[in-house]
Amino acid sequence: MKRRIKLTFPPDLIKEPVVFMVARQFDITPNIRRARITDTVGEMVLEIDGTDELIDKAVAALREKGVEVELVEGDVLQ
């Protein structure tokens, strides 16, 4: 199953390997479709591949860490 999500990182998490750690912990495969990272703003659109259960757990873990997660509908940079 693939799902596209938009992540918005708080300033204190911009330099942390949050996506890597969550992908590793929940055995999902992230594919960065778009990103904009500065010293104060972190936004990323990911296509994540894995089982529905693992994707849901990964999204919950991202939210627990303080990352805002939104579902992205439609195509993003084909």
Side-chain angles (χ1 to χ4, degrees):
M1 177 79 187
K2 288 187 182 183
R3 202 178 304 172
R4 286 191 179 132
I5 57 173
K6 178 183 176 192
L7 307 178
T8 305
F9 297 87
D12 62 317
L13 289 180
I14 289 173
K15 294 183 180 183
E16 300 298 318
V18 177
V19 172
F20 170 77
M21 297 303 291
V22 169
R24 188 173 182 196
Q25 180 180 358
F26 295 102
D27 195 28
I28 59 169
T29 303
N31 181 14
I32 299 171
R33 304 296 291 174
R34 184 176 67 209
R36 182 173 69 112
I37 311 296
T38 69
D39 288 338
T40 58
V41 176
E43 296 177 336
M44 184 181 297
V45 175
L46 287 182
E47 183 175 78
I48 48 179
D49 193 5
T51 66
D52 280 337
E53 180 182 356
L54 290 176
I55 290 172
D56 289 342
K57 287 180 179 181
V59 166
L62 288 165
R63 287 182 173 142
E64 285 177 17
K65 291 183 182 297
V67 178
E68 183 181 322
V69 182
E70 299 174 51
L71 184 62
V72 175
E73 298 291 336
D75 293 335
V76 178
L77 295 179
Q78 287 300 328

